């Protein structure tokens, strides 16, 4: 049986072979303590000079930080160690002795660590975040499958904008220009008219010149779209999905949350309560009462979002924004067309927007008028207008940003740690 540190607790008393790396070495004369990792977790290996062959002792002595190594030993119960187990080592075979490791125990700044992102990823903290990210993605896909959504990925090379024209990355496409996708939504509107309920999950690009803790220039988004689904059902679906995701992380990744010192109580609350739905106008009033200088009609700034979410224990939906400040495709509220039938979901504890959704305009003429108002070219959207010409139906959808969701669930203060290789305003390397 292949040994993994993750399952070491089930192999107490057994002789095992660990294939991994040595993340640290400490020696006290005749005993060496090896901090070992294999990608699934960390375990301490204890080498006692008098108990092992000379070759094993020499092997252990040769190890430097991040040397790769194969270690044999017996798994022992050790209540004082974090995983509850330890390895009593009998043989040590270095695979490749590492040069002096650039990441030390002293505090490094974020820029230094990002320059060494390819190595920084090996730390206990970063591997915990990556496992939680994986769990979230798995849970999202599981939720989509259970609710009848079919994966129909949208293209990344696109001829037009979805979310406004100011933050598009333009690339050369043979003799033409193309844009990296800002959102796969418009294509999901086409596939959902074919399959009923669809989603895409992939990288999304925005050349926003924002240097905030919430912005990446390349981020991953899950976008769901459903025919015959109205605005309210759409909001309920988002709530159910977020609860499912948080529930799965609590269920399967508690050890990783512990590595991050994440307080799980606020997360547990999320799986139990009903998320408040707050009208845009009401949210503006609440902020103004709390001293914000935000004006009615403005979009919320990052600080406003933070302030709003701190007023609640649960994620909150802000609904019915002024149509003027939102995307062209959002359906106007029939009761007051100045407002859009949309929602933003703000994560608690100051995290802010993680989901944006709306009912879409199903009427051809209304949509044509909106394209004009937004100064968007009719010809590149002709195929999109076809969806209103041929069997248009009421439909809604949403986009959930993966990295902001990971940052919130992990309790991180910046999205740069939520993705293996972050792309930021001033960072394209490594
Ligand atoms: O609110 P957004 O712009 O919505 C859309 O793109 C819609 N077309 C989605 C849809 O209805 N199909 O983006 C959705 C989410 C945000 O709530 C946020 O979580 C994330 O995508 N997001 C970003 N994440 C990291 N960095 C950025 N620059 C982001 N911009 C948006
Ligand atoms: Mg948004």
């Amino acid at each position: 049986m292949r040994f993994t540190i993750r399952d070491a607790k089930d192999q107490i008393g057994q002789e095992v072979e660990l294939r991994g790396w040595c993340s640290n070495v400490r020696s006290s004369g005749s005993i060496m303590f090896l901090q070992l990792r294999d990608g699934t977790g960390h375990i301490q290996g204890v080498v006692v000079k008098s108990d092992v062959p000379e070759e094993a002792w020499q092997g252990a002595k040769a190890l430097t930080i991040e040397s790769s190594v194969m270690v044999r030993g017996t798994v022992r119960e050790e209540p004082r160690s974090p995983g509850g187990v330890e390895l009593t080592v009998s043989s040590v075979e270095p695979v490749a002795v590492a040069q002096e490791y650039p990441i030390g125990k002293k505090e490094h700044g974020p820029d230094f660590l990002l320059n060494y992102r390819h190595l920084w990823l090996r730390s206990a903290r970063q591997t915990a975040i990556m496992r939680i990210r994986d769990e979230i993605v798995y849970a999202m896909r599981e939720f989509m499958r259970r609710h009848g959504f079919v994966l129909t990925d949208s293209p990344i090379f696109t001829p037009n904008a979805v979310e406004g024209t100011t933050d598009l990355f333009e690339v050369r496409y043979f003799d033409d220009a193309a844009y990296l996708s800002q959102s796969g939504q418009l294509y999901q509107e086409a596939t959902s008219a074919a399959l009923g309920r669809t989603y895409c999950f992939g990288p999304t690009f925005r050349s926003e010149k924002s240097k905030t803790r919430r912005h990446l220039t390349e981020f991953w988004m899950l976008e769901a779209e459903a025919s015959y689904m109205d605005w309210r059902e759409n909001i309920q679906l988002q709530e159910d999905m977020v609860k499912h995701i948080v529930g799965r992380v609590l269920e399967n990744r508690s050890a990783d949350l512990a590595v991050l010192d994440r307080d799980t109580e606020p997360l547990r609350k999320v799986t139990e309560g009903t998320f408040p739905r707050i009208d845009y106008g009401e949210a503006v009033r609440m902020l103004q009462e709390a001293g914000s200088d935000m004006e009615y009609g403005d979009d919320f700034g990052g600080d406003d979002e933070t302030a709003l979410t701190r007023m609640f224990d649960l994620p909150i939906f802000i609904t019915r924004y002024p149509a003027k400040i939102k995307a062209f495709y959002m359906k106007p509220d029939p009761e007051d067309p100045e407002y859009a039938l949309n929602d933003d979901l703000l994560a608690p504890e100051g995290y802010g927007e993680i989901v944006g959704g709306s009912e879409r305009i199903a009427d051809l003429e209304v949509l044509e008028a909106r394209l004009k108002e937004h100064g968007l070219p009719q010809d590149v959207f002709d195929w999109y207008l076809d969806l209103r010409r041929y069997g248009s139906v009421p439909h809604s959808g949403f986009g959930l940003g993966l990295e902001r969701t990971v940052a919130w669930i992990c309790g991180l203060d910046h999205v740069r740690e939520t993705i293996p290789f972050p792309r930021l305003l001033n960072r394209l390397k490594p």
Side-chain angles (χ1 to χ4, degrees):
M1 188 165 94
R2 193 176 89 91
F3 171 75
T4 60
I5 295 173
R6 186 180 162 81
D7 300 321
K9 259 216 196 82
D10 306 330
Q11 295 186 45
I12 289 168
Q14 288 183 39
E15 166 98 15
V16 297
E17 185 182 61
L18 183 157
R19 299 174 175 202
W21 296 262
C22 171
S23 56
N24 208 354
V25 210
R26 252 178 340 109
S27 155
S28 70
S30 56
I31 302 184
M32 283 177 69
F33 299 97
L34 313 178
Q35 300 310 317
L36 300 166
R37 61 172 194 92
D38 67 353
T40 72
H42 286 74
I43 193 170
Q44 174 160 274
V46 183
V47 196
V48 180
K49 186 167 197 267
S50 55
D51 293 350
V52 297
E54 181 60 16
E55 213 184 337
W57 184 252
Q58 290 306 328
K61 268 178 74 178
L63 294 179
T64 55
I65 293 176
E66 283 305 317
S67 291
S68 43
V69 65
M70 296 200 291
V71 172
R72 285 182 160 281
T74 308
V75 183
R76 297 241 186 266
E77 201 162 3
E78 176 46 72
R80 282 170 303 176
S81 85
V85 286
E86 215 175 58
L87 200 64
T88 302
V89 174
S90 55
S91 91
V92 180
E93 251 182 81
V95 177
V97 171
Q99 299 179 19
E100 195 182 338
Y101 199 58
I103 304 176
K105 270 172 289 179
K106 71 169 169 98
E107 282 285 312
H108 294 294
D111 259 328
F112 177 90
L113 290 169
L114 284 171
N115 284 337
Y116 283 105
R117 183 62 176 165
H118 49 294
L119 301 177
W120 184 28
L121 277 170
R122 300 178 182 193
S123 73
R125 185 181 153 84
Q126 298 306 314
T127 51
I129 296 168
M130 288 305 126
R131 276 190 289 266
I132 292 170
R133 180 185 165 105
D134 168 69
E135 186 70 35
I136 292 171
V137 172
Y138 195 84
M140 291 188 326
R141 290 192 183 275
E142 178 182 56
F143 182 89
M144 286 283 104
R145 165 62 70 93
R146 285 188 184 176
H147 288 78
F149 286 79
V150 178
L151 179 72
T152 53
D153 285 316
S154 293
I156 287 169
F157 284 133
T158 57
N160 56 263
V162 181
E163 296 295 320
T165 47
T166 52
D167 57 6
L168 282 170
F169 277 112
E170 189 175 318
V171 292
R172 229 193 5 252
Y173 195 73
F174 304 108
D175 294 332
D176 266 326
Y179 305 98
L180 299 181
S181 175
Q182 285 171 312
S183 158
Q185 177 194 323
L186 305 190
Y187 295 98
Q188 295 310 303
E189 291 185 54
T191 55
S192 65
L195 292 141
R197 293 181 154 208
T198 59
Y199 75 105
C200 61
F201 175 57
T204 314
F205 306 86
R206 308 241 173 131
S207 68
E208 284 166 304
K209 294 234 160 74
S210 317
K211 257 173 107 177
T212 78
R213 59 200 181 91
R214 295 175 186 168
H215 285 87
L216 294 163
T217 55
E218 176 178 327
F219 63 97
W220 284 64
M221 178 156 56
L222 180 138
E223 296 187 82
E225 199 69 30
S227 303
Y228 292 105
M229 189 167 71
D230 73 14
W231 168 65
R232 282 178 210 285
E233 292 169 303
N234 188 35
I235 291 179
Q236 188 60 49
L237 189 73
Q238 293 162 44
E239 173 168 349
D240 294 345
M241 173 147 149
V242 168
K243 283 180 171 159
H244 178 74
I245 294 169
V246 172
R248 279 286 186 254
V249 173
L250 288 171
E251 194 178 316
N252 298 326
R253 293 293 168 205
S254 56
D256 293 310
L257 291 170
V259 168
L260 301 173
D261 284 325
R262 176 62 161 118
D263 179 5
T264 51
E265 208 29 54
L267 296 177
R268 216 166 293 285
K269 278 198 187 128
V270 169
T271 60
E272 288 156 8
T274 297
F275 303 177
R277 279 103 166 120
I278 301 162
D279 205 64
Y280 167 86
E282 201 184 321
V284 174
R285 268 194 304 280
M286 289 167 70
L287 282 170
Q288 286 172 341
E289 268 164 35
S292 163
D293 55 6
M294 176 185 180
E295 304 265 352
Y296 194 87
D298 291 352
D299 206 348
F300 302 101
D303 292 343
D304 296 319
E305 284 185 2
T306 302
L308 267 177
T309 69
R310 291 215 188 277
M311 299 176 190
F312 299 86
D313 279 351
L314 292 168
I316 51 177
F317 288 105
I318 310 293
T319 61
R320 293 176 67 255
Y321 284 60
K324 256 204 242 95
I325 58 170
K326 285 291 174 183
F328 74 92
Y329 52 73
M330 290 183 181
K331 179 173 170 160
D333 185 346
E335 281 169 25
D336 187 347
E338 291 295 301
Y339 296 90
L341 291 182
N342 79 304
D343 68 275
D344 275 359
L345 177 61
L346 312 187
E349 301 171 81
Y351 279 92
E353 184 194 332
I354 55 169
V355 182
S358 74
E359 185 161 340
R360 322 302 192 190
I361 296 171
D363 184 89
L364 178 63
E365 273 150 38
V366 177
L367 189 57
E368 282 173 335
R370 271 300 147 85
L371 284 174
K372 274 207 197 87
E373 278 165 38
H374 279 78
L376 295 165
Q378 211 89 6
D379 56 336
V380 286
F381 286 100
D382 209 40
W383 69 267
Y384 184 64
L385 293 169
D386 270 353
L387 305 175
R388 277 74 184 169
R389 291 186 185 109
Y390 306 106
S392 190
V393 295
H395 63 289
S396 305
F398 66 86
L400 178 145
L402 175 62
E403 287 75 18
R404 289 189 191 174
T405 304
V406 174
W408 160 50
I409 293 178
C410 289
L412 309 176
D413 41 281
H414 199 295
V415 288
R416 65 187 163 223
E417 287 180 72
T418 62
I419 183 164
F421 295 96
R423 295 292 172 248
L424 301 160
L425 180 56
N426 48 15
R427 179 167 296 277
L428 194 57
K429 264 177 78 181

